[in-house]
Amino acid sequence: MDDKSNVTDITLDGYVEMQKYRFLYFFIMFTAYILIICSNSTIVCLIWIHKNLHEPMYIFIAALLLNSVIFSTAIYPKLLIDFLSEKQIISHPACLCQCFMYYTLLMSEFLLLSIMAYDRYVSICKPLQYPNIMTKTSVSILMVLAWIVPACHVVVPILINSNKKLCRFKLKGVFCNNTINNLSCFISKVNIVYGVFVLINCAILPLIFILFTYTKILIITYHSSRDVKKKAAQTCLPHMLILFSITFFTTYDFVIVRVESDLPKTTRFIMTLQVLLYHPLFNPIIYGLKMKEINKHLKKLFCSAKLN
């Protein structure tokens, strides 16, 4: 089409040395995607199958791992197709859809971790009240809210961007994130302010709540018995490690949008692939190794597989 106002295809301009390394990129990311699906799904299935894991803490872990699977599925298939394609393009509506999924699931992880922090606080600091507070109904409501609240926040700028005219058609990245705003003919200050509002509401406030909750747990367990300290360490440490991982991921995403013109293309490409690679794999590794009950069932599963 000659009229650029009618062009809906966006070029993903973040790829490096595609002619030379496309099959290597494909092999690495395809292997990573299979590992992400298998490792996360295995733990989710173990939690589903074993009744002793039908507790709020493990249900929230399953929700977090399921979130990782959906998150990876929103990014990886398109990434793999692009590695094998001559042109790395995406339609504007598909780009907005990917952007919506990316930020909804990213923010959902913060809310799920804040729910898990509250669950640990009630379990360790108010054990007698725990069964009355963390009922099946409250667990279900909290999990639904963890996905609905971010979706409602993210959908607003997506709908606004869907009606904007594009003046640029090259996205400096390998998937669609906030850099899509830079393609518009006019970058609205309202969009920027709303983006900060979403970041505060769905990431910074949950992060503060999590840190506050774990600080309270630390203070209370400091004066408790060794068994209570051990229980707190076993259940809270994995959550803190995952929190560190997702915080790094979100910080990277925020920084990359701000300094996209200053960062070398190769550096940005390598860092983006590493972040997409490590974080979804980090969750099942941490919960598989550090959560005693999950680790026990994993060992039984692999031992039985070896015997057969």
Side-chain angles (χ1 to χ4, degrees), residues 124 221-222 224-238 290 292:
I124 294 165
T221 54
Y222 181 76
S224 302
S225 65
R226 184 177 292 179
D227 288 340
V228 174
K229 288 178 184 176
K230 189 178 177 182
K231 181 188 174 185
Q234 283 177 342
T235 57
C236 295
L237 181 61
K290 294 293 181 182
K292 190 179 176 182

Side-chain angles (χ1 to χ4, degrees), residues 27-263:
F27 176 75
I28 292 169
M29 299 311 284
F30 179 73
T31 304
Y33 185 49
I34 296 299
L35 286 172
I36 288 164
I37 297 295
C38 292
S39 57
N40 283 282
S41 300
T42 299
I43 297 177
V44 170
C45 289
L46 284 175
I47 293 169
W48 179 275
I49 293 165
H50 298 284
K51 288 187 177 180
N52 68 318
L53 299 180
H54 291 183
E55 296 176 12
M57 179 177 69
Y58 297 110
I59 292 168
F60 293 137
I61 289 172
L64 196 70
L65 298 180
L66 185 62
N67 198 72
S68 288
V69 171
I70 301 168
F71 175 86
S72 299
T73 304
I75 305 293
Y76 272 77
K78 178 67 177 88
L79 206 62
L80 295 171
I81 291 167
D82 285 340
F83 287 141
L84 299 179
S85 303
E86 287 301 316
K87 290 183 180 180
Q88 291 72 47
I89 58 172
I90 187 170
S91 69
H92 187 225
C95 193
L96 289 171
C97 183
Q98 190 180 61
C99 192
F100 170 76
M101 293 295 290
Y102 174 73
Y103 284 107
T104 297
L105 296 165
L106 193 65
M107 299 303 171
S108 291
E109 192 145 341
F110 276 102
L111 293 183
L112 284 168
L113 284 169
S114 64
I115 292 166
M116 290 161 84
Y118 176 69
D119 173 72
R120 291 301 83 211
Y121 170 75
V122 177
S123 175
I124 294 165
C125 304
K126 299 180 179 180
L128 297 177
Q129 298 174 42
Y130 184 79
N132 296 325
I133 295 172
M134 300 306 291
T135 61
K136 284 184 179 179
T137 305
S138 61
V139 168
S140 301
I141 291 169
L142 287 170
M143 280 204 299
V144 170
L145 287 174
W147 278 301
I148 287 179
V149 170
C152 292
H153 279 72
V154 175
V155 76
V156 176
I158 296 296
L159 290 174
I160 292 169
N161 279 331
S162 66
N163 295 315
K164 280 187 177 181
K165 182 183 174 183
L166 301 182
C167 286
R168 289 166 289 277
F169 302 92
K170 278 192 177 181
L171 192 75
K172 291 185 179 180
V174 297
F175 65 93
C176 297
N177 59 5
N178 254 340
T179 51
I180 196 173
N181 291 326
N182 300 333
L183 304 182
S184 302
C185 299
F186 174 71
I187 299 173
S188 171
K189 286 186 178 179
V190 174
N191 247 21
I192 296 169
V193 171
Y194 186 79
V196 173
F197 166 75
V198 173
L199 184 69
I200 291 169
N201 240 18
C202 295
I204 295 173
L205 287 179
L207 179 62
I208 292 168
F209 174 78
I210 293 164
L211 294 174
F212 173 76
T213 304
Y214 284 128
T215 303
K216 290 244 341 175
I217 291 171
L218 190 66
I219 292 166
I220 291 168
T221 54
Y222 181 76
H223 302 288
S224 302
S225 65
R226 184 177 292 179
D227 288 340
V228 174
K229 288 178 184 176
K230 189 178 177 182
K231 181 188 174 185
Q234 283 177 342
T235 57
C236 295
L237 181 61
H239 302 329
M240 290 302 292
L241 291 171
I242 299 300
L243 178 66
F244 173 79
S245 174
I246 189 64
T247 303
F248 172 78
F249 192 1
T250 308
T251 304
Y252 167 77
D253 179 80
F254 182 78
V255 170
I256 207 77
V257 172
R258 297 285 172 256
V259 300
E260 63 161 7
S261 58
D262 303 323
L263 206 62

